[in-house]
Amino acid sequence: MSRFEDKVVLITGAASGIGAAAARRFAREGASVVVADLNAEAAAATAAAIREAGGKAVGLAVDVGNELQVGQAITSTVEKFGRLDVLVNNAGIGSFGRVDMLSTEEWRRVMAVDLDAVFFACRAALPHLAQVRGAIVSTASISGTAADYGFAAYNAAKAAVINLTRAIAIDHAGEGVRANSISPGYVVTPLTAPLQADDRIGEAYRQLIPLGRPSMPEEQAAAILFLASDDASYITGANLIVDGGLTAATGQPNFVRIFAGAN
Ligand SMILES: NC(=O)c1ccc[n+]([C@@H]2O[C@H](COP(=O)([O-])OP(=O)(O)OC[C@H]3O[C@@H](n4cnc5c(N)ncnc54)[C@H](O)[C@@H]3O)[C@@H](O)[C@H]2O)c1
C-alpha cells in the first residue's frame, strides 16, 4: 500500500513504541516522516533505520511540553518539506498516584506532556493542515474513558485529549481538517515495561482482555494510519478503541469462566 505517497507526517514520541511503529509504517506507505522525540539520539536512530530500509525520515529533538519547541518543530517541518499533511500527537508519559499522593509538580508534568502538548501542536499545525485538508491523530488511551486505580493525572489528561480532539474536529471540519484519537489498551512498549515485568499483572491482563494478549505497537500504528488516511475520509471526532475488547466488558465477574469452574 502507498496511501501516503508525497505526504508529510510529523509524529511526536516517535523514537519508541507506538510512535516508532507508526513512523516505520507511514514511511513504508510513502510518507516523508519527521520522527520527533525528547530523546534526540533515539529519534535520529529511528529515522536512520527507516532511511536504511528505503524510507524518507528525519529525526527531530523536541520537548512536546515546551510551547516554543513545538512551534519550531512544526515550522521547521514545513520549511523542510513544504507542507504538513498529518500530525500524530503520540508522545506521552505515565504517572502512578492517587490524587492524595500526587505533588503539584507531578500533576503539571503529566498535563504538560500528555495534554498541553496536544494543544500546542494542533494550534501550530492547523493553518498548515488546512492548506492540504490534512488530518490529526492523537494517541489517547482507554484510561481516558474510564479510570484506573492509582492513575489520576493520566486519566484526567487522556480524557481531555479525547474531548479536545472532538472540539478540534467540529471546529475545523469546515477547513477540511479531520481530527481523531485512538485509545490503546495494554501495549507492549517500554512505557509498560514495569507491568510486563510483573507476572501477576500479566495474568490479570490475560483474564481481562477478551483477545487474551496484549497489543503489539504495530497494531496501534495500523489504527493511526487508517484514521490519517483517505480511507477514513468521513471519520472525524472519533475515538477508536484498540484494546482487544478490554473495555467492551462491564468489569463484572466472568460468569462463563466461573460457571465452567475455570480460574
Ligand atoms: N503502551 C501502552 O500500553 C499504552 C496504552 C495506552 C496509551 N498509550 C499511549 O501511547 C503513547 C505512546 O506510548 P508508548 O507506549 O509507545 O511509550 P514509549 O515510552 O515507548 O514511547 C513514548 C515516547 O515519547 C517520548 N516522550 C516522552 N516525553 C516526551 C516529551 N516531553 N517530548 C517529546 N517526546 C517525549 C519518549 O522519549 C518515547 O520515545 C503515549 O501517549 C501513551 O500514553 C500507551
Side-chain angles (χ1 to χ4, degrees):
M1 274 196 288
S2 52
R3 290 177 292 181
F4 297 96
E5 211 67 61
D6 301 325
K7 306 273 190 199
V8 177
V9 180
L10 185 146
I11 308 173
T12 67
S16 169
I18 297 168
R24 289 191 293 270
R25 178 95 188 253
F26 271 116
R28 275 212 312 280
E29 295 206 26
S32 297
V33 183
V34 178
V35 176
D37 204 285
L38 185 63
N39 185 336
E41 241 172 68
T46 300
I50 289 173
R51 289 195 301 274
E52 271 162 40
K56 297 181 280 271
V58 292
L60 186 68
V62 55
D63 176 354
V64 294
N66 182 311
E67 180 177 1
L68 216 62
Q69 289 187 28
V70 173
Q72 281 164 356
I74 303 285
T75 305
S76 72
T77 299
V78 174
E79 275 170 11
K80 186 168 174 58
F81 295 105
R83 58 192 286 152
L84 177 65
D85 296 278
V86 177
L87 166 67
V88 180
N89 295 302
N90 170 79
I93 52 172
S95 161
F96 184 73
R98 306 183 325 194
V99 163
D100 60 359
M101 297 158 71
L102 285 170
S103 66
T104 305
E105 291 68 36
E106 177 65 358
W107 173 265
R108 296 231 160 98
R109 191 177 76 93
V110 176
M111 290 301 147
V113 178
D114 289 356
L115 176 59
D116 295 353
V118 179
F119 165 66
F120 294 150
C122 290
R123 189 177 56 182
L126 274 164
H128 305 290
L129 294 171
Q131 282 181 19
V132 295
R133 302 180 78 78
I136 297 167
V137 183
S138 297
T139 308
S141 170
I142 55 170
S143 303
T145 303
D148 305 298
Y149 293 95
F151 271 91
Y154 189 76
N155 288 145
K158 291 298 187 180
V161 168
I162 293 169
N163 220 26
L164 175 60
T165 300
R166 294 189 188 109
I168 292 168
I170 62 172
D171 283 340
H172 297 277
E175 296 150 40
V177 176
R178 295 181 303 103
N180 294 290
S181 57
I182 65 160
S183 277
Y186 177 34
V187 191
V188 178
T189 70
L191 186 76
T192 55
L195 308 185
Q196 294 161 43
D198 190 322
D199 287 344
R200 294 165 305 174
I201 291 175
E203 183 48 33
Y205 269 120
R206 263 187 296 284
Q207 304 268 349
L208 284 170
I209 300 171
L211 285 183
R213 61 173 179 84
S215 161
M216 296 311 287
E218 288 72 19
E219 295 173 304
Q220 304 297 328
I224 291 173
L225 268 88
F226 165 65
L227 289 172
S229 78
D230 288 344
D231 289 339
S233 57
Y234 201 61
I235 302 178
T236 196
N239 175 45
L240 181 57
I241 294 168
V242 190
D243 69 350
L246 178 57
T247 58
T250 57
Q252 297 205 69
N254 185 335
F255 303 116
V256 173
R257 196 178 283 143
I258 291 167
F259 292 149
N263 295 321

